[in-house]
PDB file of all heavy atoms in Angstrom:
ATOM      1  N   TYR A 241     -11.324  57.033  22.066  1.00 95.00           N
ATOM      2  CA  TYR A 241     -10.978  56.126  23.096  1.00 95.00           C
ATOM      3  C   TYR A 241      -9.779  55.281  22.776  1.00 95.00           C
ATOM      4  O   TYR A 241      -8.792  55.125  23.603  1.00 95.00           O
ATOM      5  CB  TYR A 241     -12.185  55.195  23.384  1.00 95.00           C
ATOM      6  CG  TYR A 241     -11.902  54.087  24.350  1.00 95.00           C
ATOM      7  CD1 TYR A 241     -11.826  54.292  25.707  1.00 95.00           C
ATOM      8  CD2 TYR A 241     -11.593  52.792  23.806  1.00 95.00           C
ATOM      9  CE1 TYR A 241     -11.491  53.273  26.521  1.00 95.00           C
ATOM     10  CE2 TYR A 241     -11.314  51.808  24.655  1.00 95.00           C
ATOM     11  CZ  TYR A 241     -11.199  51.959  26.073  1.00 95.00           C
ATOM     12  OH  TYR A 241     -10.866  50.913  26.919  1.00 95.00           O
ATOM     13  N   PHE A 242      -9.810  54.661  21.591  1.00 95.00           N
ATOM     14  CA  PHE A 242      -8.659  53.675  21.337  1.00 95.00           C
ATOM     15  C   PHE A 242      -7.336  54.484  21.073  1.00 95.00           C
ATOM     16  O   PHE A 242      -6.338  53.860  21.401  1.00 95.00           O
ATOM     17  CB  PHE A 242      -9.023  52.815  20.075  1.00 95.00           C
ATOM     18  CG  PHE A 242      -9.999  51.740  20.453  1.00 95.00           C
ATOM     19  CD1 PHE A 242     -11.207  51.627  19.786  1.00 95.00           C
ATOM     20  CD2 PHE A 242      -9.691  50.779  21.338  1.00 95.00           C
ATOM     21  CE1 PHE A 242     -12.109  50.653  20.071  1.00 95.00           C
ATOM     22  CE2 PHE A 242     -10.572  49.753  21.727  1.00 95.00           C
ATOM     23  CZ  PHE A 242     -11.785  49.741  21.150  1.00 95.00           C
ATOM     24  N   ARG A 243      -7.372  55.688  20.532  1.00 94.00           N
ATOM     25  CA  ARG A 243      -6.065  56.421  20.353  1.00 94.00           C
ATOM     26  C   ARG A 243      -5.382  56.568  21.692  1.00 94.00           C
ATOM     27  O   ARG A 243      -4.141  56.502  21.800  1.00 94.00           O
ATOM     28  CB  ARG A 243      -6.371  57.780  19.697  1.00 94.00           C
ATOM     29  CG  ARG A 243      -5.244  58.287  18.901  1.00 94.00           C
ATOM     30  CD  ARG A 243      -5.508  59.523  18.076  1.00 94.00           C
ATOM     31  NE  ARG A 243      -6.313  59.144  16.871  1.00 94.00           N
ATOM     32  CZ  ARG A 243      -5.779  58.592  15.788  1.00 94.00           C
ATOM     33  NH1 ARG A 243      -4.516  58.206  15.790  1.00 94.00           N
ATOM     34  NH2 ARG A 243      -6.472  58.255  14.678  1.00 94.00           N
ATOM     35  N   GLY A 244      -6.227  56.711  22.694  1.00 94.00           N
ATOM     36  CA  GLY A 244      -5.542  56.848  24.061  1.00 94.00           C
ATOM     37  C   GLY A 244      -4.918  55.537  24.541  1.00 94.00           C
ATOM     38  O   GLY A 244      -4.205  55.507  25.571  1.00 94.00           O
ATOM     39  N   HIS A 245      -5.139  54.414  23.918  1.00 94.00           N
ATOM     40  CA  HIS A 245      -4.520  53.082  24.408  1.00 94.00           C
ATOM     41  C   HIS A 245      -3.820  52.416  23.342  1.00 94.00           C
ATOM     42  O   HIS A 245      -3.259  51.386  23.527  1.00 94.00           O
ATOM     43  CB  HIS A 245      -5.712  52.160  24.838  1.00 94.00           C
ATOM     44  CG  HIS A 245      -6.567  52.674  25.928  1.00 94.00           C
ATOM     45  ND1 HIS A 245      -7.608  53.538  25.782  1.00 94.00           N
ATOM     46  CD2 HIS A 245      -6.471  52.478  27.268  1.00 94.00           C
ATOM     47  CE1 HIS A 245      -8.103  53.848  26.982  1.00 94.00           C
ATOM     48  NE2 HIS A 245      -7.408  53.260  27.963  1.00 94.00           N
ATOM     49  N   ILE A 246      -3.711  53.022  22.177  1.00 93.00           N
ATOM     50  CA  ILE A 246      -3.234  52.257  20.985  1.00 93.00           C
ATOM     51  C   ILE A 246      -1.726  51.773  21.186  1.00 93.00           C
ATOM     52  O   ILE A 246      -1.421  50.694  20.656  1.00 93.00           O
ATOM     53  CB  ILE A 246      -3.385  53.031  19.690  1.00 93.00           C
ATOM     54  CG1 ILE A 246      -3.513  52.126  18.505  1.00 93.00           C
ATOM     55  CG2 ILE A 246      -2.332  54.117  19.525  1.00 93.00           C
ATOM     56  CD1 ILE A 246      -4.648  51.213  18.483  1.00 93.00           C
ATOM     57  N   GLU A 247      -0.997  52.470  21.924  1.00 92.00           N
ATOM     58  CA  GLU A 247       0.440  51.996  22.089  1.00 92.00           C
ATOM     59  C   GLU A 247       0.539  50.601  22.678  1.00 92.00           C
ATOM     60  O   GLU A 247       1.378  49.867  22.263  1.00 92.00           O
ATOM     61  CB  GLU A 247       1.086  52.963  23.222  1.00 92.00           C
ATOM     62  CG  GLU A 247       1.082  54.402  22.847  1.00 92.00           C
ATOM     63  CD  GLU A 247       1.981  54.683  21.735  1.00 92.00           C
ATOM     64  OE1 GLU A 247       3.247  54.616  21.945  1.00 92.00           O
ATOM     65  OE2 GLU A 247       1.508  55.032  20.584  1.00 92.00           O
ATOM     66  N   THR A 248      -0.387  50.183  23.529  1.00 92.00           N
ATOM     67  CA  THR A 248      -0.328  48.876  24.186  1.00 92.00           C
ATOM     68  C   THR A 248      -1.084  47.794  23.328  1.00 92.00           C
ATOM     69  O   THR A 248      -1.174  46.671  23.799  1.00 92.00           O
ATOM     70  CB  THR A 248      -0.838  48.923  25.610  1.00 92.00           C
ATOM     71  OG1 THR A 248      -2.231  49.388  25.534  1.00 92.00           O
ATOM     72  CG2 THR A 248      -0.062  49.804  26.535  1.00 92.00           C
ATOM     73  N   MET A 249      -1.666  48.281  22.230  1.00 94.00           N
ATOM     74  CA  MET A 249      -2.472  47.287  21.502  1.00 94.00           C
ATOM     75  C   MET A 249      -1.654  46.593  20.269  1.00 94.00           C
ATOM     76  O   MET A 249      -0.585  47.058  20.094  1.00 94.00           O
ATOM     77  CB  MET A 249      -3.801  47.925  20.926  1.00 94.00           C
ATOM     78  CG  MET A 249      -4.656  48.573  22.038  1.00 94.00           C
ATOM     79  SD  MET A 249      -6.240  49.092  21.444  1.00 94.00           S
ATOM     80  CE  MET A 249      -7.159  47.553  21.467  1.00 94.00           C
ATOM     81  N   CYS A 250      -2.169  45.471  19.716  1.00 93.00           N
ATOM     82  CA  CYS A 250      -1.433  44.792  18.762  1.00 93.00           C
ATOM     83  C   CYS A 250      -1.324  45.594  17.470  1.00 93.00           C
ATOM     84  O   CYS A 250      -1.951  46.590  17.214  1.00 93.00           O
ATOM     85  CB  CYS A 250      -2.066  43.481  18.469  1.00 93.00           C
ATOM     86  SG  CYS A 250      -3.763  43.624  17.599  1.00 93.00           S
ATOM     87  N   SER A 251      -0.325  45.137  16.614  1.00 92.00           N
ATOM     88  CA  SER A 251      -0.085  45.892  15.367  1.00 92.00           C
ATOM     89  C   SER A 251      -1.342  45.937  14.477  1.00 92.00           C
ATOM     90  O   SER A 251      -1.539  46.927  13.706  1.00 92.00           O
ATOM     91  CB  SER A 251       1.107  45.316  14.692  1.00 92.00           C
ATOM     92  OG  SER A 251       0.888  43.906  14.364  1.00 92.00           O
ATOM     93  N   ASP A 252      -2.142  44.814  14.512  1.00 90.00           N
ATOM     94  CA  ASP A 252      -3.390  44.873  13.613  1.00 90.00           C
ATOM     95  C   ASP A 252      -4.274  45.925  14.129  1.00 90.00           C
ATOM     96  O   ASP A 252      -4.852  46.669  13.290  1.00 90.00           O
ATOM     97  CB  ASP A 252      -4.081  43.545  13.759  1.00 90.00           C
ATOM     98  CG  ASP A 252      -3.412  42.511  12.817  1.00 90.00           C
ATOM     99  OD1 ASP A 252      -2.700  42.839  11.907  1.00 90.00           O
ATOM    100  OD2 ASP A 252      -3.629  41.230  13.094  1.00 90.00           O
ATOM    101  N   CYS A 253      -4.441  46.067  15.435  1.00 93.00           N
ATOM    102  CA  CYS A 253      -5.345  47.204  15.876  1.00 93.00           C
ATOM    103  C   CYS A 253      -4.786  48.566  15.647  1.00 93.00           C
ATOM    104  O   CYS A 253      -5.528  49.479  15.253  1.00 93.00           O
ATOM    105  CB  CYS A 253      -5.508  47.010  17.475  1.00 93.00           C
ATOM    106  SG  CYS A 253      -6.663  45.772  17.889  1.00 93.00           S
ATOM    107  N   GLN A 254      -3.418  48.633  15.537  1.00 93.00           N
ATOM    108  CA  GLN A 254      -2.890  50.048  15.239  1.00 93.00           C
ATOM    109  C   GLN A 254      -3.201  50.329  13.789  1.00 93.00           C
ATOM    110  O   GLN A 254      -3.627  51.447  13.518  1.00 93.00           O
ATOM    111  CB  GLN A 254      -1.337  49.938  15.466  1.00 93.00           C
ATOM    112  CG  GLN A 254      -1.072  49.838  16.969  1.00 93.00           C
ATOM    113  CD  GLN A 254       0.349  49.679  17.316  1.00 93.00           C
ATOM    114  OE1 GLN A 254       1.224  49.849  16.483  1.00 93.00           O
ATOM    115  NE2 GLN A 254       0.663  49.427  18.568  1.00 93.00           N
ATOM    116  N   ARG A 255      -3.163  49.268  12.983  1.00 91.00           N
ATOM    117  CA  ARG A 255      -3.558  49.550  11.534  1.00 91.00           C
ATOM    118  C   ARG A 255      -5.057  49.864  11.367  1.00 91.00           C
ATOM    119  O   ARG A 255      -5.485  50.718  10.729  1.00 91.00           O
ATOM    120  CB  ARG A 255      -3.125  48.247  10.618  1.00 91.00           C
ATOM    121  CG  ARG A 255      -3.424  48.461   9.221  1.00 91.00           C
ATOM    122  CD  ARG A 255      -2.965  47.200   8.508  1.00 91.00           C
ATOM    123  NE  ARG A 255      -3.391  45.966   9.054  1.00 91.00           N
ATOM    124  CZ  ARG A 255      -4.542  45.415   9.066  1.00 91.00           C
ATOM    125  NH1 ARG A 255      -5.503  46.030   8.370  1.00 91.00           N
ATOM    126  NH2 ARG A 255      -4.870  44.243   9.677  1.00 91.00           N
TER     127      ARG A 255
END
Side-chain angles (χ1 to χ4, degrees):
Y241 170 78
F242 284 119
R243 206 168 284 287
H245 298 85
I246 202 68
E247 301 289 291
T248 55
M249 299 190 83
C250 71
S251 55
D252 280 339
C253 283
Q254 295 179 0
R255 184 177 46 75

